[in-house]
Short mmCIF file of all heavy atoms in Angstrom, two decimals:
data_model
loop_
_atom_site.label_atom_id
_atom_site.label_comp_id
_atom_site.label_asym_id
_atom_site.label_seq_id
_atom_site.Cartn_x
_atom_site.Cartn_y
_atom_site.Cartn_z
N ALA L 46 3.49 1.89 16.27
CA ALA L 46 4.26 0.69 16.07
C ALA L 46 4.76 0.10 17.38
O ALA L 46 4.72 -1.12 17.59
CB ALA L 46 5.58 1.00 15.17
N VAL L 49 1.63 -1.49 18.96
CA VAL L 49 1.32 -2.86 18.41
C VAL L 49 2.43 -3.88 18.80
O VAL L 49 2.08 -4.98 19.15
CB VAL L 49 1.10 -2.73 16.89
CG1 VAL L 49 1.05 -4.19 16.31
CG2 VAL L 49 0.02 -1.82 16.55
N SER L 50 3.69 -3.52 18.80
CA SER L 50 4.80 -4.31 19.16
C SER L 50 4.61 -4.92 20.50
O SER L 50 4.70 -6.10 20.86
CB SER L 50 6.01 -3.58 19.20
OG SER L 50 6.48 -3.36 17.90
N ARG L 64 17.54 0.98 16.97
CA ARG L 64 16.67 -0.06 17.00
C ARG L 64 17.17 -1.22 16.12
O ARG L 64 17.59 -1.01 15.00
CB ARG L 64 15.30 0.33 16.56
CG ARG L 64 14.24 -0.71 16.57
CD ARG L 64 12.98 -0.18 15.99
NE ARG L 64 12.34 0.87 16.86
CZ ARG L 64 11.48 0.64 17.78
NH1 ARG L 64 11.01 -0.60 18.00
NH2 ARG L 64 10.85 1.64 18.42
N THR L 66 16.07 -4.45 14.02
CA THR L 66 14.78 -4.89 13.39
C THR L 66 14.83 -6.42 13.16
O THR L 66 15.42 -6.87 12.21
CB THR L 66 14.46 -4.22 12.07
OG1 THR L 66 14.69 -2.84 12.26
CG2 THR L 66 13.17 -4.54 11.52
N ALA L 69 10.11 -10.43 13.54
CA ALA L 69 8.80 -10.07 14.00
C ALA L 69 8.63 -8.55 13.95
O ALA L 69 7.49 -8.04 13.72
CB ALA L 69 8.65 -10.59 15.51
N THR L 70 9.67 -7.83 14.25
CA THR L 70 9.52 -6.30 14.16
C THR L 70 9.34 -5.78 12.79
O THR L 70 8.56 -4.97 12.61
CB THR L 70 10.76 -5.77 14.84
OG1 THR L 70 11.05 -6.21 16.21
CG2 THR L 70 10.70 -4.21 14.83
N VAL L 71 9.96 -6.43 11.80
CA VAL L 71 9.82 -5.95 10.43
C VAL L 71 8.32 -6.19 9.99
O VAL L 71 7.69 -5.47 9.25
CB VAL L 71 10.83 -6.45 9.42
CG1 VAL L 71 10.57 -7.79 8.90
CG2 VAL L 71 10.91 -5.46 8.18
N GLU L 72 7.71 -7.25 10.53
CA GLU L 72 6.30 -7.55 10.26
C GLU L 72 5.36 -6.50 10.87
O GLU L 72 4.49 -5.95 10.20
CB GLU L 72 5.92 -8.89 10.82
CG GLU L 72 6.47 -10.16 10.02
CD GLU L 72 5.68 -11.36 9.97
OE1 GLU L 72 4.69 -11.42 10.86
OE2 GLU L 72 5.89 -12.22 9.15
N VAL L 73 5.70 -6.14 12.14
CA VAL L 73 4.87 -5.05 12.85
C VAL L 73 5.04 -3.75 12.13
O VAL L 73 4.02 -3.09 11.84
CB VAL L 73 5.26 -4.96 14.24
CG1 VAL L 73 4.68 -3.71 14.90
CG2 VAL L 73 4.77 -6.20 15.03
N VAL L 74 6.16 -3.28 11.71
CA VAL L 74 6.34 -2.07 11.07
C VAL L 74 5.66 -2.05 9.70
O VAL L 74 5.24 -1.00 9.25
CB VAL L 74 7.83 -1.49 11.04
CG1 VAL L 74 8.30 -1.14 12.50
CG2 VAL L 74 8.80 -2.38 10.36
N THR L 75 5.76 -3.15 9.08
CA THR L 75 5.09 -3.23 7.79
C THR L 75 3.60 -3.05 7.95
O THR L 75 2.89 -2.35 7.16
CB THR L 75 5.47 -4.58 7.01
OG1 THR L 75 6.84 -4.61 6.87
CG2 THR L 75 4.79 -4.61 5.61
N MET L 76 3.04 -3.76 8.98
CA MET L 76 1.61 -3.55 9.23
C MET L 76 1.21 -2.16 9.56
O MET L 76 0.35 -1.58 8.93
CB MET L 76 1.26 -4.42 10.45
CG MET L 76 1.12 -5.92 10.21
SD MET L 76 0.24 -6.76 11.46
CE MET L 76 1.43 -6.94 12.73
N VAL L 77 1.99 -1.52 10.41
CA VAL L 77 1.67 -0.20 10.97
C VAL L 77 2.03 0.87 9.85
O VAL L 77 1.19 1.73 9.59
CB VAL L 77 2.31 0.14 12.29
CG1 VAL L 77 1.99 1.46 12.81
CG2 VAL L 77 1.88 -0.94 13.37
N TYR L 78 3.23 0.87 9.32
CA TYR L 78 3.66 1.98 8.36
C TYR L 78 2.99 1.77 7.10
O TYR L 78 2.35 2.74 6.56
CB TYR L 78 5.10 1.94 8.29
CG TYR L 78 6.00 2.21 9.49
CD1 TYR L 78 7.33 1.96 9.42
CD2 TYR L 78 5.51 2.48 10.70
CE1 TYR L 78 8.18 2.09 10.51
CE2 TYR L 78 6.22 2.60 11.88
CZ TYR L 78 7.62 2.45 11.72
OH TYR L 78 8.37 2.66 12.86
N ALA L 79 3.07 0.70 6.48
CA ALA L 79 2.61 0.38 5.05
C ALA L 79 1.06 0.14 5.08
O ALA L 79 0.33 0.44 4.11
CB ALA L 79 3.30 -0.82 4.36
N GLY L 80 0.58 -0.33 6.23
CA GLY L 80 -0.89 -0.69 6.34
C GLY L 80 -1.66 0.55 6.87
O GLY L 80 -2.14 1.40 6.20
N PHE L 122 16.77 -6.40 9.82
CA PHE L 122 16.21 -6.03 8.60
C PHE L 122 16.06 -4.47 8.42
O PHE L 122 14.99 -4.07 8.23
CB PHE L 122 14.88 -6.86 8.46
CG PHE L 122 15.13 -8.18 8.40
CD1 PHE L 122 14.71 -9.09 9.45
CD2 PHE L 122 15.78 -8.88 7.37
CE1 PHE L 122 14.94 -10.51 9.53
CE2 PHE L 122 15.88 -10.15 7.33
CZ PHE L 122 15.60 -11.00 8.40
N CYS L 147 5.77 5.15 2.65
CA CYS L 147 6.05 4.79 3.99
C CYS L 147 7.55 4.41 3.93
O CYS L 147 8.18 4.24 2.92
CB CYS L 147 5.17 3.67 4.48
SG CYS L 147 5.36 2.11 3.53
N ALA L 148 8.06 4.18 5.11
CA ALA L 148 9.46 3.91 5.25
C ALA L 148 9.87 2.40 5.34
O ALA L 148 10.52 1.89 6.02
CB ALA L 148 10.07 4.58 6.49
N ILE L 149 9.21 1.72 4.40
CA ILE L 149 9.53 0.26 4.12
C ILE L 149 10.05 0.11 2.67
O ILE L 149 9.50 0.57 1.76
CB ILE L 149 8.21 -0.57 4.25
CG1 ILE L 149 7.65 -0.35 5.69
CG2 ILE L 149 8.54 -2.02 4.04
CD1 ILE L 149 8.25 -0.90 6.78
N LEU L 158 12.20 -4.42 4.25
CA LEU L 158 13.25 -3.75 5.09
C LEU L 158 12.80 -2.42 5.63
O LEU L 158 12.22 -1.58 5.04
CB LEU L 158 14.49 -3.46 4.18
CG LEU L 158 15.17 -4.73 3.55
CD1 LEU L 158 16.16 -4.33 2.47
CD2 LEU L 158 15.99 -5.50 4.62
N ASN L 159 12.99 -2.30 6.99
CA ASN L 159 12.66 -1.06 7.69
C ASN L 159 13.76 -0.11 7.36
O ASN L 159 14.93 -0.32 7.44
CB ASN L 159 12.75 -1.41 9.21
CG ASN L 159 12.16 -0.36 9.98
OD1 ASN L 159 11.58 0.65 9.58
ND2 ASN L 159 12.33 -0.45 11.39
N THR L 160 13.32 1.15 6.88
CA THR L 160 14.27 2.19 6.31
C THR L 160 14.03 3.50 7.00
O THR L 160 12.88 3.79 7.26
CB THR L 160 14.26 2.06 4.86
OG1 THR L 160 14.40 0.74 4.33
CG2 THR L 160 15.21 3.04 4.21
N GLY O 80 -1.31 -3.77 4.82
CA GLY O 80 0.20 -3.77 5.19
C GLY O 80 0.93 -5.03 4.99
O GLY O 80 1.46 -5.31 3.88
#
Side-chain angles (χ1 to χ4, degrees):
Chain L
V49 175
S50 286
R64 184 186 290 268
T66 310
T70 303
V71 82
E72 289 211 344
V73 168
V74 294
T75 303
M76 286 198 280
V77 177
Y78 301 169
F122 298 108
C147 65
I149 304 288
L158 297 163
N159 192 9
T160 305

